Amino acid sequence: GNSMETVDKTTSSSPSAGHTSSPIRFPSLNQCTVNEYQPNQGIGSHVDTETAFGDGIMSVSLNGGIVMEFRKSNDKAKEKKLVYLPPRSLLLMSGDARYKWEHMIVSRMTDTVNGIVLPRKLRVSLTLRTALENVGPNQDKNSISSPVPLKRVESSSFPPRWGGRNDAGSTKDKSTSIATPDTERDHVHAVYDAIATQWHHTRGKRGVLWPGATQFLQRLPKGSLVADVGCGDGKYFPAIWEAGSYVIGSDISFPLLKTALGAPSSGTTVPESRQVNENRRHLANRPSVAVADCMNVPLRTDSCDAAICIAVMHHLSTEARRVRCIEELVRIVKPGGTINIQAWSMKQDEKSKRKFAASDVFVPFNAQPKYLQEVEKSIAQNDEGGRGKSVAEMYSEAYEGAEFNERNGLVVFKRYCHMYRDGELEALASRVPGTIVSTSGYESGNYFIILEVEKIN
């Protein structure tokens, strides 16, 4: 016999007054809580705590709808109102709806709305509210004339760092098989930290993408969440956004990752591969990225629909670390998802200037001092013994194995690379359970494999 009310996308609801068109503004929202409810899960009857949260709450329902039940507190008649929250609805509550009416969600598998039985689905709720500064144990809440919202806190560093160079896979403990070897620390990590600005300027801005990787991204279902492990300066981000997907990028190099932030995504000077449609351009302003090691990717298991790992595996110097990288990619991708891995090949095109005589080599990179100064000015400013030396000379002395080319005034960095032979990527992937190699091949001096994460029967 209780009437059913339905919340629209922008309608506020008050059990005591029904729907109202009066605007409700919450200027001090500082907390967002994300909850996932299985179809049979509910919420116990309760009234919100006044001392913990300010008045005004916003609740967004996603994927599944739900009937919320309101009962007036301390009311012997137990007056009750039922409010249906459909998917993609926004519920606003304030005043009596928060403090004089209890609200709850009954645990059951179905709801009846206007005589129609609706099976419940998985529901995700986003609850936005104003958290208040704590009231002391001996302090009367009524003596506080104006509760103070908690200050908004934003990370002081962006991109965020996941652990540190001495954590997890990059630990100083050399007994673990996935610890970062000195070769990679000195000839991969340190090199890319130093050359990040020039790398982005000369390579990233050109927007050269491997066609196979681009086609892989374009074939993904729209709305896919893609992990770009070893994303560098984010040059594949625009291709992912333009394909209608979303990306979370990670890279071990903080300076290189910073070049991905606010990279131009439109204009005549931006190559076509880095152009982003206007309605998705906001994604480029502050992309989802983190400093992290591919040995320990900071993403939940089965959280992504797909992953790419482009030009990363050839910088890993041991088989154990190569296998671990693939294991991490498989771990974070859902069953049924796909993974694209590309790495340099021993086999190079006839027109290529690169010819490799061995699998493990040091590939030179000529760094210009004007870019090095932007990356790390402290070497020039703080080195007391550096008087009379050029920036290039000081860099060559500061980095293991770097050489100063006096004739050109350049610093020649030596990047460690492992050149893959035909079938080597497939052999590594075969050591990781739960995957099958669906496609493999050669493209422009690179070998690639596409893995399918097996579905759980």
Side-chain angles (χ1 to χ4, degrees):
N2 296 293
S3 61
M4 178 71 67
E5 299 184 22
T6 301
V7 172
D8 299 321
K9 289 183 181 178
T10 57
T11 301
S12 61
S13 180
S14 169
S16 60
H19 295 315
T20 174
S21 59
S22 301
I24 300 177
R25 294 184 175 88
F26 307 139
S28 302
L29 294 174
N30 57 14
Q31 184 188 83
C32 178
T33 303
V34 182
N35 286 313
E36 180 182 274
Y37 296 97
Q38 297 297 325
N40 62 340
Q41 285 184 301
I43 303 173
S45 184
H46 68 283
V47 173
D48 288 338
T49 305
E50 292 185 57
T51 56
F53 301 100
D55 190 17
I57 188 171
M58 302 170 65
S59 178
V60 179
S61 295
L62 300 176
N63 194 63
I66 203 76
V67 170
M68 183 172 283
E69 186 174 308
F70 290 84
R71 293 177 181 269
K72 205 162 190 179
S73 301
N74 303 319
D75 182 7
K76 292 182 180 180
K78 291 294 181 184
E79 183 181 353
K80 180 169 69 173
K81 284 184 175 289
L82 305 178
V83 179
Y84 177 56
L85 312 179
R88 300 183 66 192
S89 64
L90 171 63
L91 172 69
L92 309 180
M93 295 192 299
S94 65
D96 290 355
R98 299 219 33 220
Y99 305 120
K100 292 187 178 180
W101 290 72
E102 298 177 3
H103 57 274
M104 66 180 295
I105 295 175
V106 178
S107 298
R108 57 187 176 221
M109 295 297 293
T110 63
D111 284 311
T112 302
V113 180
N114 298 326
I116 301 174
V117 178
L118 302 176
R120 285 187 180 178
K121 298 194 300 183
L122 177 75
R123 173 176 171 264
V124 175
S125 72
L126 310 179
T127 303
L128 295 94
R129 52 193 170 186
T130 303
L132 303 176
E133 294 281 3
N134 289 334
V135 177
N138 300 320
Q139 191 174 5
D140 182 3
K141 67 180 179 69
N142 295 320
S143 66
I144 304 175
S145 58
S146 180
V148 179
L150 283 174
K151 294 180 180 179
R152 293 185 178 88
V153 178
E154 186 172 338
S155 173
S156 59
S157 66
F158 188 84
R161 293 177 183 270
W162 181 261
R165 287 278 172 89
N166 295 328
D167 291 345
S170 296
T171 178
K172 289 182 178 179
D173 180 7
K174 299 302 178 183
S175 62
T176 172
S177 62
I178 63 168
T180 303
D182 292 343
T183 298
E184 291 179 41
R185 186 194 66 220
D186 296 336
H187 295 281
V188 180
H189 300 174
V191 171
Y192 279 102
D193 282 356
I195 68 174
T197 302
Q198 182 174 343
W199 183 268
H200 175 64
H201 182 79
T202 58
R203 284 161 171 75
K205 287 186 176 180
R206 288 198 312 238
V208 178
L209 307 181
W210 301 123
T214 303
Q215 292 166 12
F216 170 84
L217 296 170
Q218 292 171 341
R219 287 194 295 265
L220 296 175
K222 290 188 182 300
S224 295
L225 179 60
V226 182
D228 188 347
V229 177
C231 66
D233 65 351
K235 73 175 184 177
Y236 281 92
F237 289 2
I240 295 170
W241 294 326
E242 284 298 278
S245 297
Y246 299 89
V247 61
I248 299 177
S250 61
D251 200 277
I252 195 66
S253 173
F254 181 63
L256 189 56
L257 199 58
K258 284 199 297 185
T259 66
L261 307 180
S265 56
S266 64
T268 56
T269 61
V270 178
E272 185 178 352
S273 64
R274 297 203 77 135
Q275 295 273 352
V276 180
N277 190 279
E278 186 176 359
N279 64 356
R280 299 181 72 84
R281 207 165 290 160
H282 64 282
L283 297 170
N285 295 334
R286 186 157 169 163
S288 300
V289 291
V291 179
D293 194 337
C294 63
M295 298 293 101
N296 294 277
V297 180
L299 294 173
R300 289 189 308 168
T301 298
D302 299 343
S303 61
C304 298
D305 300 294
I308 60 174
C309 187
I310 311 297
V312 175
M313 291 280 288
H314 57 242
H315 289 312
L316 303 178
S317 60
T318 68
E319 277 200 9
R321 286 171 61 79
R322 295 164 197 154
V323 171
R324 174 55 177 257
C325 181
I326 298 175
E327 288 174 341
E328 280 294 271
L329 294 169
V330 172
R331 179 186 64 79
I332 64 177
V333 173
K334 300 174 183 176
T338 51
I339 301 166
N340 186 315
I341 300 172
Q342 294 203 14
W344 271 2
S345 162
M346 276 281 291
K347 171 185 171 183
Q348 292 293 306
D349 297 338
E350 291 184 4
K351 295 181 180 179
S352 174
K353 296 179 181 180
R354 294 193 179 97
K355 303 296 178 184
F356 304 110
S359 293
D360 296 283
V361 296
F362 288 100
V363 179
F365 182 90
N366 296 319
Q368 300 177 40
K370 66 177 182 179
Y371 293 113
L372 298 181
Q373 285 178 301
E374 292 176 15
V375 175
E376 193 175 340
K377 295 180 181 178
S378 59
I379 292 182
Q381 294 173 343
N382 301 325
D383 187 349
E384 294 181 359
R387 294 179 181 178
K389 295 181 180 179
S390 69
V391 176
E393 286 178 292
M394 284 184 275
Y395 261 77
S396 65
E397 293 177 359
Y399 287 93
E400 181 72 25
E403 298 176 354
F404 174 55
N405 186 326
E406 188 172 0
R407 179 182 176 185
N408 298 322
L410 301 175
V411 176
V412 182
F413 288 97
K414 295 179 180 179
R415 292 178 293 154
Y416 166 80
C417 293
H418 173 78
M419 300 302 157
Y420 285 81
R421 300 178 185 276
D422 189 14
E424 190 174 352
L425 284 175
E426 293 91 329
L428 291 171
S430 69
R431 295 167 58 179
V432 180
T435 64
I436 57 174
V437 178
S438 64
T439 309
S440 63
Y442 173 85
E443 178 186 41
S444 302
N446 291 266
Y447 282 123
F448 71 89
I449 57 173
I450 296 178
L451 305 178
E452 292 184 7
V453 181
E454 292 182 323
K455 294 181 178 179
I456 301 174
N457 297 325

